[in-house]
Amino acid sequence: MVEQQGRVVAIEADAIWVEATGQQGCHGCVARSGCGTGLLSDYLAGKSRIRVDLNSWNPRDLSLNDKAVIGIPEHTLTAAAMLVYLLPLACLMLAALVGEALAGERGAIIGAAGGLVLGAALVHWHSRRNRTNPSYTPLLLRIESHQPD
């Protein structure tokens, strides 16, 4: 199980919203203010919230700013990473080979671009189709500490 610690930022009847609190990018680096990675990490910091179903947890046992540990099975993370990275690449390569066989170098270029777009569209379709699949959703594993209100 891959775990990530976060802070509870919202509580609903059947879910919570968790904001990741781990170090992202190069926040420990001295050159952070002049580094593109550090600036990008700061920009995306507010967008790292994820909805986590409560399952058997009682929402009354939770409060805002609690430290929550969420997790996702390793095999699920590996399969998703393989899909996101390899499917567009495989489509690109296959379409480039077909394009080259049909129309030479120009066909390979057009085929590669089309294959990449097709691969990205297939990943998007798979993501939307499995949006409610429980094996792809993170689990609330534990609450590490309660913050005073």
Side-chain angles (χ1 to χ4, degrees), residues 16-142:
I16 59 172
W17 286 88
V18 177
E19 184 176 78
T21 57
Q23 285 208 356
Q24 300 172 0
C26 54
H27 284 280
C29 179
V30 175
R32 179 179 147 210
S33 62
C35 173
T37 304
L39 294 173
L40 183 62
S41 179
D42 287 343
Y43 174 73
L44 295 176
K47 295 176 176 48
S48 62
R49 294 180 178 167
I50 188 165
R51 186 176 190 270
V52 180
D53 290 334
L54 287 178
N55 298 329
S56 62
W57 289 81
N58 188 343
R60 287 177 272 146
D61 295 338
L62 305 169
S63 60
L64 293 178
N65 295 320
D66 278 351
K67 289 183 183 177
V69 177
I70 60 174
I72 192 163
E74 291 174 7
H75 69 278
T76 300
L77 188 61
T78 303
M82 297 271 292
L83 177 80
V84 167
Y85 289 110
L86 291 182
L87 183 62
L89 182 61
C91 288
L92 179 144
M93 295 297 292
L94 185 62
L97 290 172
V98 170
E100 183 182 31
L102 295 177
E105 185 178 351
R106 181 173 291 176
I109 294 169
I110 293 169
L116 183 63
V117 169
L118 174 65
L122 289 172
V123 168
H124 181 70
W125 172 80
H126 181 271
S127 173
R128 294 196 42 96
R129 186 170 181 255
N130 289 291
R131 167 180 19 197
T132 58
N133 186 341
S135 65
Y136 285 110
T137 59
L139 305 169
L140 178 59
L141 301 176
R142 63 187 174 274

